[in-house]
Amino acid sequence: MSSRIVRTFFFAYFLLTSTKVLGWQQGTPVVNFGREADRSGGAVTAIEIDDRGLMYFGTSQGVVVFDGESWQEIDLAGKGNTRSISYDSLTDRIYIGGTQHFGYLTRDRTSRFSYTDLSTQISENHLFKDVWQIFRFNNEIYFMTQEGRFVYTSDSVIYRHFPESYFFRVGSTVYLSEANGALSIFENGNFVQNWDQSSHSKNPTFQVLPLEKQRHLILYPQSSPVVRNLIDGTITVYDQPLSSLINEHWMYTAASLSDTLLAIATWSDGVFITDKKGQVLRKFTTEDRLISNEVYEIKKGSQGNLWLATSYGISMIDMAKAFPLVAPDSANGFPVHISSFVHDYDSITYTTQKVDTARVAGTETRIKINFGKPGADYYSAQTYKYRLLNYDTVWYSTTEPMAVFDHLPNGKYVFQVKDRSSDLDPAQLVVVVAVPLIAFLKGPLGYAFLAMLVLGLTIVGIIYRAKRMRQKLATLVAKKTEEVTRHEQELIRTNHNLMAVNEELDTFLYRSSHDLIAPVKSIRGLLYLVKASKDELPQYLDLMENRILRLENTLLEINSYVKNSKSDPLATNIRLHSLVNEVWADIEFIEHADKLTFMNEVDSDLEIKSDPGLWKMIIHNLLINAIKYHDGRKESSFVRVWHSIDNKVFTLKVEDNGQGIASESLPRVYDMFFRANANSKGSGLGLFLVKKMVDKLGGTINIESEYAKGTLVSVSSSTLSFKVNQPETRQTHTSHLL
């Protein structure tokens, strides 16, 4: 007894929770469709219905389609957010307007949709944010944005600059409401301004609805509605309860449900159902299980139900339940739609045409045909009638949206289905079972033919497989040969690089040991002289200091070489003007530096992204060379630093009017320990290190020099990024020496 009570309790709990998950709320006319319907879980901003009764919803992810039984997500090529949808019955296209895109959907006979993006035709000068309305007028499609109108005509898009405006069609009358205040009527081939609405509302018209045969109701979001008399064209304020309702609640849009009922959608107060005077008959909010109070669009469905696009999904109000005594008029019905054909639970063929054909390859089979009524909600029962001609002529009634047939004999059948309460033509599907070829294969000759076919295919397969194996073997051998050749070439290059490095290391060790030993021997000799003669002690101490400084410089240059060869370059922002000044400040008090005029002409706003340590060592060595090899015979010596930018190639230049380099020595200036000047007191590593550091930065170095006139060193790079805040003030520098 207790176990039965427990089972009953869990069964009741399952029913209650299941109805909540599916969206149907018992005892309320509101049905909600969450993420399983709109595929986004976010805002739904547009609703449209086509001639077949299929419903289209614009979501934050694109478009979803509802056929009364199932939902289909439409790919918009990744364009995403949809703001407006409009169906064009003349071309059977569904026009889409969204965030930074617009175009149209077309479908093939298998109900597959494809999206054509028209916004790719517009130029960069006419960019826009959102398409808020789509309107067909004079055989042209208008995509309305706040930035202007885009008109699609003759397979091309034309931009027309107009202020923000909206079209409305009521019967044969077309209105144009502009944000600047003009309300115009299309008459005799032109739009004629009928009223300056700016004196009445700061917002343009949001909706125009029929009121009576000779009057139209013009609605504003936060102002009293007005009425236009079609006979004399006069416009007067609609002095009814509807005015106070709209003034109190921010209206977003409205729809006419019947000759007596209106639906008013608001920004944050849900939906009001009123009579034509605005007397509220019923209000729907989240307290009535509406999915959201922010309603962006409303549309009357084929069953007379009210569909809502909200900030959190789709809701539907069953108007027959909401107003059982005064039900709104239903829209024109739509024929039943055959959605799929299932054969043995495996092969599924989708059909959308009025007459389509499905073929079944066998007699021992089970088939199922699914169908539905577009515009209906699948939480309400629908009653259908179906029959299978050439098998039975009797119409069968069902509330299930499918028909199942077992073991149909060979033949051609016509399946028909329609709404039980409708006189519309039924949807049809031709079903062909056991075509002649299949029937032939079922007999003895068919078995013999199949055996021979299998034998032949086996032989062909063996031959084909052997051929494929030979091709794969040849491809594998060629690939391995190519890999061996590549590895040999890499080994040769690596060996060559190792030999070069080894040779460079031998030279470096020999020359560095020589340069280190020479100062040490000099210091030892000087120490001996100091011991022998105390009278000349200051002179010997100066000479010892000089040798020690030379030894220190040599060790520093060797240290720079080792650090440069081991570390990877950094990439940080460098103010080059400040870096040049910093280097000069480090060396301006060394011997002979005071004899040169230093000029830093690098743009103070120039900023490059590279390794500051490498650039500092490059600039330091170049400035030291300018000081060491200045020409004391000249009245005025200088060293000048500047830069140039040509075709995105950055070049830093250091120029002096010193001793210069003889032309025969220029090819060897980058060699390790090479001294171009016989009187040089340096180690011969300066330009060698500069070249190594420039190579590490991925740049190039060029030296132009003329003996006794001066030297110009250019360090260039096309890979580093640079920025100058005021490029129009940058000057062009040229060398005055070379």
Side-chain angles (χ1 to χ4, degrees), residues 199-231:
S199 60
H200 178 73
S201 173
K202 62 181 180 180
N203 298 303
T205 302
F206 263 39
Q207 190 59 273
V208 181
L209 301 174
L211 187 61
E212 292 141 0
K213 288 185 177 180
Q214 300 298 329
R215 294 203 302 170
H216 289 167
L217 182 63
I218 302 172
L219 301 172
Y220 297 90
Q222 257 192 332
S223 301
S224 300
V226 297
V227 175
R228 177 174 178 263
N229 190 311
L230 302 186
I231 298 176

mmCIF file of all heavy atoms in Angstrom, residues 199-231:
data_model
loop_
_atom_site.group_PDB
_atom_site.id
_atom_site.type_symbol
_atom_site.label_atom_id
_atom_site.label_comp_id
_atom_site.label_asym_id
_atom_site.label_seq_id
_atom_site.Cartn_x
_atom_site.Cartn_y
_atom_site.Cartn_z
ATOM 1 N N SER A 199 5.013 69.024 -32.994
ATOM 2 C CA SER A 199 4.286 69.809 -31.998
ATOM 3 C C SER A 199 3.496 68.922 -31.041
ATOM 4 O O SER A 199 3.071 69.354 -29.986
ATOM 5 C CB SER A 199 3.328 70.785 -32.699
ATOM 6 O OG SER A 199 2.396 70.059 -33.490
ATOM 7 N N HIS A 200 3.320 67.653 -31.437
ATOM 8 C CA HIS A 200 2.534 66.736 -30.619
ATOM 9 C C HIS A 200 3.402 65.752 -29.851
ATOM 10 O O HIS A 200 3.115 65.411 -28.702
ATOM 11 C CB HIS A 200 1.558 65.971 -31.518
ATOM 12 C CG HIS A 200 0.729 64.950 -30.777
ATOM 13 N ND1 HIS A 200 -0.309 65.299 -29.938
ATOM 14 C CD2 HIS A 200 0.802 63.593 -30.754
ATOM 15 C CE1 HIS A 200 -0.848 64.195 -29.426
ATOM 16 N NE2 HIS A 200 -0.182 63.144 -29.905
ATOM 17 N N SER A 201 4.502 65.264 -30.464
ATOM 18 C CA SER A 201 5.350 64.255 -29.831
ATOM 19 C C SER A 201 6.790 64.468 -30.265
ATOM 20 O O SER A 201 7.058 64.842 -31.405
ATOM 21 C CB SER A 201 4.885 62.841 -30.228
ATOM 22 O OG SER A 201 5.798 61.869 -29.757
ATOM 23 N N LYS A 202 7.721 64.219 -29.342
ATOM 24 C CA LYS A 202 9.145 64.317 -29.675
ATOM 25 C C LYS A 202 9.649 63.056 -30.372
ATOM 26 O O LYS A 202 10.785 63.020 -30.838
ATOM 27 C CB LYS A 202 9.963 64.560 -28.410
ATOM 28 C CG LYS A 202 9.866 63.444 -27.386
ATOM 29 C CD LYS A 202 10.691 63.757 -26.149
ATOM 30 C CE LYS A 202 10.592 62.640 -25.112
ATOM 31 N NZ LYS A 202 11.391 62.924 -23.897
ATOM 32 N N ASN A 203 8.799 62.010 -30.433
ATOM 33 C CA ASN A 203 9.173 60.755 -31.081
ATOM 34 C C ASN A 203 8.378 60.571 -32.369
ATOM 35 O O ASN A 203 7.246 61.060 -32.487
ATOM 36 C CB ASN A 203 8.893 59.559 -30.154
ATOM 37 C CG ASN A 203 9.713 59.622 -28.888
ATOM 38 O OD1 ASN A 203 10.933 59.687 -28.930
ATOM 39 N ND2 ASN A 203 9.037 59.605 -27.741
ATOM 40 N N PRO A 204 8.929 59.858 -33.351
ATOM 41 C CA PRO A 204 8.156 59.561 -34.560
ATOM 42 C C PRO A 204 7.074 58.533 -34.266
ATOM 43 O O PRO A 204 7.041 57.900 -33.206
ATOM 44 C CB PRO A 204 9.218 58.985 -35.513
ATOM 45 C CG PRO A 204 10.267 58.431 -34.622
ATOM 46 C CD PRO A 204 10.304 59.328 -33.418
ATOM 47 N N THR A 205 6.168 58.359 -35.218
ATOM 48 C CA THR A 205 5.100 57.376 -35.086
ATOM 49 C C THR A 205 5.677 55.977 -34.938
ATOM 50 O O THR A 205 6.637 55.618 -35.624
ATOM 51 C CB THR A 205 4.188 57.430 -36.329
ATOM 52 O OG1 THR A 205 3.666 58.752 -36.454
ATOM 53 C CG2 THR A 205 3.050 56.442 -36.195
ATOM 54 N N PHE A 206 5.071 55.162 -34.054
ATOM 55 C CA PHE A 206 5.527 53.790 -33.869
ATOM 56 C C PHE A 206 4.573 52.778 -34.477
ATOM 57 O O PHE A 206 4.954 51.644 -34.705
ATOM 58 C CB PHE A 206 5.707 53.506 -32.381
ATOM 59 C CG PHE A 206 7.119 53.667 -31.917
ATOM 60 C CD1 PHE A 206 7.913 54.688 -32.406
ATOM 61 C CD2 PHE A 206 7.662 52.789 -31.005
ATOM 62 C CE1 PHE A 206 9.208 54.851 -31.982
ATOM 63 C CE2 PHE A 206 8.984 52.939 -30.569
ATOM 64 C CZ PHE A 206 9.759 53.976 -31.065
ATOM 65 N N GLN A 207 3.323 53.153 -34.749
ATOM 66 C CA GLN A 207 2.374 52.217 -35.348
ATOM 67 C C GLN A 207 1.168 52.982 -35.874
ATOM 68 O O GLN A 207 0.778 54.009 -35.313
ATOM 69 C CB GLN A 207 1.929 51.165 -34.320
ATOM 70 C CG GLN A 207 1.133 50.007 -34.885
ATOM 71 C CD GLN A 207 1.890 49.237 -35.933
ATOM 72 O OE1 GLN A 207 1.851 49.584 -37.119
ATOM 73 N NE2 GLN A 207 2.611 48.191 -35.502
ATOM 74 N N VAL A 208 0.605 52.488 -36.984
ATOM 75 C CA VAL A 208 -0.649 53.021 -37.532
ATOM 76 C C VAL A 208 -1.587 51.838 -37.731
ATOM 77 O O VAL A 208 -1.216 50.852 -38.384
ATOM 78 C CB VAL A 208 -0.420 53.761 -38.865
ATOM 79 C CG1 VAL A 208 -1.754 54.315 -39.375
ATOM 80 C CG2 VAL A 208 0.594 54.887 -38.692
ATOM 81 N N LEU A 209 -2.814 51.924 -37.160
ATOM 82 C CA LEU A 209 -3.770 50.817 -37.202
ATOM 83 C C LEU A 209 -5.115 51.308 -37.729
ATOM 84 O O LEU A 209 -5.454 52.497 -37.594
ATOM 85 C CB LEU A 209 -3.954 50.222 -35.804
ATOM 86 C CG LEU A 209 -2.696 49.661 -35.115
ATOM 87 C CD1 LEU A 209 -3.039 49.245 -33.692
ATOM 88 C CD2 LEU A 209 -2.140 48.494 -35.896
ATOM 89 N N PRO A 210 -5.893 50.414 -38.336
ATOM 90 C CA PRO A 210 -7.245 50.818 -38.755
ATOM 91 C C PRO A 210 -8.151 50.977 -37.532
ATOM 92 O O PRO A 210 -8.131 50.146 -36.620
ATOM 93 C CB PRO A 210 -7.681 49.648 -39.643
ATOM 94 C CG PRO A 210 -6.893 48.475 -39.148
ATOM 95 C CD PRO A 210 -5.572 49.032 -38.696
ATOM 96 N N LEU A 211 -8.922 52.038 -37.525
ATOM 97 C CA LEU A 211 -9.859 52.272 -36.419
ATOM 98 C C LEU A 211 -11.276 51.966 -36.870
ATOM 99 O O LEU A 211 -11.992 51.181 -36.259
ATOM 100 C CB LEU A 211 -9.738 53.716 -35.922
ATOM 101 C CG LEU A 211 -10.541 54.058 -34.671
ATOM 102 C CD1 LEU A 211 -10.081 53.204 -33.494
ATOM 103 C CD2 LEU A 211 -10.377 55.538 -34.326
ATOM 104 N N GLU A 212 -11.651 52.599 -37.943
ATOM 105 C CA GLU A 212 -12.928 52.306 -38.589
ATOM 106 C C GLU A 212 -12.690 52.375 -40.084
ATOM 107 O O GLU A 212 -11.558 52.566 -40.535
ATOM 108 C CB GLU A 212 -14.001 53.323 -38.153
ATOM 109 C CG GLU A 212 -14.393 53.176 -36.686
ATOM 110 C CD GLU A 212 -14.619 54.538 -36.035
ATOM 111 O OE1 GLU A 212 -14.462 55.553 -36.740
ATOM 112 O OE2 GLU A 212 -14.898 54.571 -34.831
ATOM 113 N N LYS A 213 -13.703 52.269 -40.897
ATOM 114 C CA LYS A 213 -13.515 52.256 -42.348
ATOM 115 C C LYS A 213 -12.880 53.538 -42.857
ATOM 116 O O LYS A 213 -12.087 53.521 -43.786
ATOM 117 C CB LYS A 213 -14.860 52.026 -43.041
ATOM 118 C CG LYS A 213 -15.373 50.607 -42.898
ATOM 119 C CD LYS A 213 -16.646 50.403 -43.713
ATOM 120 C CE LYS A 213 -17.114 48.961 -43.618
ATOM 121 N NZ LYS A 213 -18.347 48.716 -44.405
ATOM 122 N N GLN A 214 -13.200 54.668 -42.257
ATOM 123 C CA GLN A 214 -12.717 55.951 -42.753
ATOM 124 C C GLN A 214 -11.777 56.650 -41.771
ATOM 125 O O GLN A 214 -11.532 57.844 -41.912
ATOM 126 C CB GLN A 214 -13.923 56.878 -43.063
ATOM 127 C CG GLN A 214 -14.872 56.328 -44.115
ATOM 128 C CD GLN A 214 -14.182 56.143 -45.453
ATOM 129 O OE1 GLN A 214 -13.253 56.877 -45.794
ATOM 130 N NE2 GLN A 214 -14.634 55.154 -46.227
ATOM 131 N N ARG A 215 -11.240 55.919 -40.802
ATOM 132 C CA ARG A 215 -10.336 56.555 -39.842
ATOM 133 C C ARG A 215 -9.176 55.614 -39.512
ATOM 134 O O ARG A 215 -9.344 54.406 -39.433
ATOM 135 C CB ARG A 215 -11.082 56.924 -38.552
ATOM 136 C CG ARG A 215 -12.140 57.994 -38.726
ATOM 137 C CD ARG A 215 -12.449 58.700 -37.415
ATOM 138 N NE ARG A 215 -12.900 57.779 -36.362
ATOM 139 C CZ ARG A 215 -13.044 58.132 -35.090
ATOM 140 N NH1 ARG A 215 -12.768 59.378 -34.715
ATOM 141 N NH2 ARG A 215 -13.457 57.262 -34.199
ATOM 142 N N HIS A 216 -7.996 56.221 -39.323
ATOM 143 C CA HIS A 216 -6.802 55.478 -38.935
ATOM 144 C C HIS A 216 -6.298 55.991 -37.594
ATOM 145 O O HIS A 216 -6.295 57.200 -37.345
ATOM 146 C CB HIS A 216 -5.693 55.627 -39.984
ATOM 147 C CG HIS A 216 -5.972 54.895 -41.258
ATOM 148 N ND1 HIS A 216 -5.258 55.101 -42.423
ATOM 149 C CD2 HIS A 216 -6.907 53.946 -41.544
ATOM 150 C CE1 HIS A 216 -5.735 54.311 -43.367
ATOM 151 N NE2 HIS A 216 -6.734 53.624 -42.872
ATOM 152 N N LEU A 217 -5.829 55.076 -36.749
ATOM 153 C CA LEU A 217 -5.323 55.396 -35.424
ATOM 154 C C LEU A 217 -3.793 55.457 -35.497
ATOM 155 O O LEU A 217 -3.135 54.477 -35.834
ATOM 156 C CB LEU A 217 -5.761 54.337 -34.409
ATOM 157 C CG LEU A 217 -5.357 54.558 -32.953
ATOM 158 C CD1 LEU A 217 -5.997 55.822 -32.402
ATOM 159 C CD2 LEU A 217 -5.749 53.343 -32.105
ATOM 160 N N ILE A 218 -3.206 56.620 -35.164
ATOM 161 C CA ILE A 218 -1.758 56.840 -35.236
ATOM 162 C C ILE A 218 -1.230 56.880 -33.801
ATOM 163 O O ILE A 218 -1.658 57.714 -33.001
ATOM 164 C CB ILE A 218 -1.428 58.137 -35.987
ATOM 165 C CG1 ILE A 218 -2.023 58.086 -37.403
ATOM 166 C CG2 ILE A 218 0.079 58.354 -36.049
ATOM 167 C CD1 ILE A 218 -1.919 59.403 -38.159
ATOM 168 N N LEU A 219 -0.278 55.982 -33.482
ATOM 169 C CA LEU A 219 0.179 55.793 -32.115
ATOM 170 C C LEU A 219 1.607 56.291 -31.943
ATOM 171 O O LEU A 219 2.450 56.144 -32.838
ATOM 172 C CB LEU A 219 0.113 54.312 -31.735
ATOM 173 C CG LEU A 219 -1.277 53.664 -31.823
ATOM 174 C CD1 LEU A 219 -1.173 52.176 -31.615
ATOM 175 C CD2 LEU A 219 -2.216 54.282 -30.802
ATOM 176 N N TYR A 220 1.878 56.860 -30.735
ATOM 177 C CA TYR A 220 3.209 57.335 -30.355
ATOM 178 C C TYR A 220 3.598 56.652 -29.043
ATOM 179 O O TYR A 220 2.737 56.283 -28.243
ATOM 180 C CB TYR A 220 3.212 58.854 -30.181
ATOM 181 C CG TYR A 220 2.886 59.594 -31.451
ATOM 182 C CD1 TYR A 220 1.569 59.923 -31.765
ATOM 183 C CD2 TYR A 220 3.886 59.953 -32.344
ATOM 184 C CE1 TYR A 220 1.260 60.593 -32.933
ATOM 185 C CE2 TYR A 220 3.586 60.628 -33.524
ATOM 186 C CZ TYR A 220 2.274 60.947 -33.810
ATOM 187 O OH TYR A 220 1.985 61.601 -34.974
ATOM 188 N N PRO A 221 4.904 56.487 -28.769
ATOM 189 C CA PRO A 221 5.319 55.731 -27.576
ATOM 190 C C PRO A 221 4.942 56.362 -26.246
ATOM 191 O O PRO A 221 4.593 55.665 -25.315
ATOM 192 C CB PRO A 221 6.836 55.614 -27.731
ATOM 193 C CG PRO A 221 7.226 56.700 -28.676
ATOM 194 C CD PRO A 221 6.064 56.907 -29.592
ATOM 195 N N GLN A 222 5.004 57.684 -26.109
ATOM 196 C CA GLN A 222 4.706 58.325 -24.829
ATOM 197 C C GLN A 222 3.884 59.588 -25.023
ATOM 198 O O GLN A 222 4.021 60.550 -24.280
ATOM 199 C CB GLN A 222 6.010 58.636 -24.074
ATOM 200 C CG GLN A 222 6.298 57.664 -22.960
ATOM 201 C CD GLN A 222 7.399 58.125 -22.044
ATOM 202 O OE1 GLN A 222 8.290 58.857 -22.444
ATOM 203 N NE2 GLN A 222 7.353 57.681 -20.799
ATOM 204 N N SER A 223 3.038 59.573 -26.032
ATOM 205 C CA SER A 223 2.150 60.706 -26.295
ATOM 206 C C SER A 223 0.781 60.165 -26.665
ATOM 207 O O SER A 223 0.635 58.994 -27.068
ATOM 208 C CB SER A 223 2.708 61.582 -27.425
ATOM 209 O OG SER A 223 3.982 62.080 -27.102
ATOM 210 N N SER A 224 -0.211 61.023 -26.561
ATOM 211 C CA SER A 224 -1.575 60.608 -26.879
ATOM 212 C C SER A 224 -1.679 60.236 -28.353
ATOM 213 O O SER A 224 -1.068 60.879 -29.213
ATOM 214 C CB SER A 224 -2.557 61.740 -26.569
ATOM 215 O OG SER A 224 -2.503 62.078 -25.200
ATOM 216 N N PRO A 225 -2.429 59.176 -28.692
ATOM 217 C CA PRO A 225 -2.630 58.842 -30.107
ATOM 218 C C PRO A 225 -3.496 59.899 -30.792
ATOM 219 O O PRO A 225 -4.209 60.673 -30.141
ATOM 220 C CB PRO A 225 -3.325 57.483 -30.052
ATOM 221 C CG PRO A 225 -3.979 57.446 -28.709
ATOM 222 C CD PRO A 225 -3.113 58.242 -27.792
ATOM 223 N N VAL A 226 -3.407 59.922 -32.121
ATOM 224 C CA VAL A 226 -4.238 60.824 -32.915
ATOM 225 C C VAL A 226 -4.977 59.998 -33.945
ATOM 226 O O VAL A 226 -4.608 58.861 -34.258
ATOM 227 C CB VAL A 226 -3.389 61.920 -33.594
ATOM 228 C CG1 VAL A 226 -2.715 62.804 -32.567
ATOM 229 C CG2 VAL A 226 -2.356 61.315 -34.534
ATOM 230 N N VAL A 227 -6.023 60.610 -34.497
ATOM 231 C CA VAL A 227 -6.864 59.941 -35.493
ATOM 232 C C VAL A 227 -6.841 60.758 -36.773
ATOM 233 O O VAL A 227 -7.009 61.987 -36.746
ATOM 234 C CB VAL A 227 -8.310 59.779 -34.977
ATOM 235 C CG1 VAL A 227 -9.204 59.203 -36.060
ATOM 236 C CG2 VAL A 227 -8.330 58.894 -33.740
ATOM 237 N N ARG A 228 -6.620 60.083 -37.897
ATOM 238 C CA ARG A 228 -6.658 60.749 -39.203
ATOM 239 C C ARG A 228 -7.948 60.369 -39.906
ATOM 240 O O ARG A 228 -8.246 59.190 -40.103
ATOM 241 C CB ARG A 228 -5.469 60.355 -40.062
ATOM 242 C CG ARG A 228 -5.502 60.978 -41.451
ATOM 243 C CD ARG A 228 -4.239 60.687 -42.239
ATOM 244 N NE ARG A 228 -4.318 61.248 -43.563
ATOM 245 C CZ ARG A 228 -4.674 60.584 -44.668
ATOM 246 N NH1 ARG A 228 -4.965 59.299 -44.575
ATOM 247 N NH2 ARG A 228 -4.725 61.170 -45.830
ATOM 248 N N ASN A 229 -8.696 61.396 -40.305
ATOM 249 C CA ASN A 229 -9.927 61.198 -41.054
ATOM 250 C C ASN A 229 -9.577 61.051 -42.534
ATOM 251 O O ASN A 229 -8.977 61.943 -43.141
ATOM 252 C CB ASN A 229 -10.871 62.390 -40.839
ATOM 253 C CG ASN A 229 -12.254 62.125 -41.387
ATOM 254 O OD1 ASN A 229 -12.419 61.697 -42.517
ATOM 255 N ND2 ASN A 229 -13.272 62.423 -40.579
ATOM 256 N N LEU A 230 -9.898 59.915 -43.143
ATOM 257 C CA LEU A 230 -9.514 59.655 -44.526
ATOM 258 C C LEU A 230 -10.323 60.481 -45.517
ATOM 259 O O LEU A 230 -9.904 60.644 -46.671
ATOM 260 C CB LEU A 230 -9.678 58.163 -44.853
ATOM 261 C CG LEU A 230 -8.896 57.181 -43.983
ATOM 262 C CD1 LEU A 230 -9.038 55.763 -44.525
ATOM 263 C CD2 LEU A 230 -7.426 57.563 -43.928
ATOM 264 N N ILE A 231 -11.454 61.027 -45.079
ATOM 265 C CA ILE A 231 -12.299 61.785 -46.006
ATOM 266 C C ILE A 231 -11.750 63.195 -46.213
ATOM 267 O O ILE A 231 -11.540 63.642 -47.348
ATOM 268 C CB ILE A 231 -13.753 61.839 -45.482
ATOM 269 C CG1 ILE A 231 -14.318 60.412 -45.406
ATOM 270 C CG2 ILE A 231 -14.610 62.724 -46.386
ATOM 271 C CD1 ILE A 231 -15.708 60.345 -44.810
#
